[in-house]
């Protein structure tokens, strides 16, 4: 075997050992390997996690669901509306008026809820991307700071484009249990 042929054979062997193949060989599919699963982040001290759902946008109207999940070990009580702040790309608050309900969706108002560990409640944010003042510029938020209640709580930040146009208004519904309401 010549040195060139030997070098070529060694190169093919090295490529095969590294999981590669030459152009003339059929390409083998690698065996699937088990990847370590990512663990969920630890439950915050207050026992709740708030997450945003995808925005539904149609004809200038936007609706976004948010969920509050009791990830703790004790029941969690809520009654009312989530706290909502619209933030810019530097996470600074924007001048946005947040109102209960909206002209888009009926809000039946708050009800007292006790969430057992693992249960969740939902609320809906609604806004219109409407430009009514061309000199003032459009309000575009990049984040939402959400709290379990309007009067406080640890804010949890959700990255989301909130394109309010020039209205500067956002509507929010009260927290409600998902699914059928329990009988009283």
């Amino acid at each position: 075997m010549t040195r060139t042929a030997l070098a070529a054979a060694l190169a093919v062997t090295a490529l095969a050992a590294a999981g590669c193949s030459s152009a003339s060989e059929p390409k083998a599919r690698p065996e699937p390997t088990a990847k370590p699963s990512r663990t969920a982040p630890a439950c915050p001290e207050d026992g709740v996690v708030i997450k945003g759902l995808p925005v539904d946008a149609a004809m200038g109207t936007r609706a976004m669901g948010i969920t509050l999940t009791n990830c703790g070990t004790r029941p969690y009580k809520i009654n009312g509306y989530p706290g909502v702040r619209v933030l810019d790309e530097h996470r600074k608050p924007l001048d946005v008026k947040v109102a209960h309900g909206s002209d888009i969706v009926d809000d039946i108002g708050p009800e007292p809820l006790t969430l057992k560990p693992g249960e969740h409640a939902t609320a809906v944010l609604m806004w219109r991307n409407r430009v009514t003042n061309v000199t003032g510029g459009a309000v575009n938020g990049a984040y939402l700071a959400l709290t379990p209640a309007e009067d406080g709580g640890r804010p949890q930040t959700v990255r989301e484009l909130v394109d309010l146009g020039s209205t500067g208004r956002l509507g929010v519904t009260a927290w409600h249990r998902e699914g059928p309401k329990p009988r009283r």
Side-chain angles (χ1 to χ4, degrees):
M1 188 178 247
T2 67
R3 283 206 289 205
T4 307
L6 180 59
L10 289 173
V12 169
T13 303
L15 288 172
C20 302
S21 62
S22 68
S24 61
E25 295 178 15
K27 295 189 181 198
R29 295 190 178 231
E31 291 294 317
T33 57
K35 293 183 180 179
S37 64
R38 293 185 181 197
T39 58
C43 185
E45 189 175 314
D46 60 1
V48 293
V49 173
I50 301 174
K51 294 185 178 181
L53 302 173
V55 173
D56 183 8
M59 297 176 53
T61 301
R62 312 288 193 253
M64 177 184 162
I66 58 174
T67 62
L68 178 142
T69 303
N70 180 353
C71 60
T73 58
R74 294 185 291 236
Y76 187 85
K77 293 182 179 193
I78 56 172
N79 184 10
Y81 294 83
V84 180
R85 295 290 312 243
V86 180
L87 310 175
D88 68 11
E89 63 276 355
H90 304 292
R91 298 182 187 221
K92 302 289 184 215
L94 295 171
D95 185 22
V96 173
K97 180 181 182 219
V98 178
H100 296 173
S102 110
D103 61 344
I104 303 167
V105 173
D106 290 332
D107 177 32
I108 59 173
E111 64 178 334
L113 297 174
T114 300
L115 302 176
K116 294 176 186 171
E119 289 185 328
H120 36 269
T122 62
V124 178
L125 304 176
M126 295 126 334
W127 68 94
R128 293 186 192 272
N129 180 356
R130 184 183 307 156
V131 176
T132 57
N133 178 357
V134 293
T135 60
V139 175
N140 290 315
Y143 297 91
L144 292 166
L146 305 170
T147 57
E150 289 178 294
D151 58 358
R154 180 184 53 83
Q156 298 183 38
T157 305
V158 173
R159 180 153 181 79
E160 189 59 58
L161 170 65
V162 181
D163 54 347
L164 298 170
S166 61
T167 65
R169 295 185 331 195
L170 178 77
V172 62
T173 66
W175 290 114
H176 287 281
R177 189 178 308 277
E178 289 188 333
K181 293 188 177 21
R183 292 184 184 191
R184 297 180 199 221

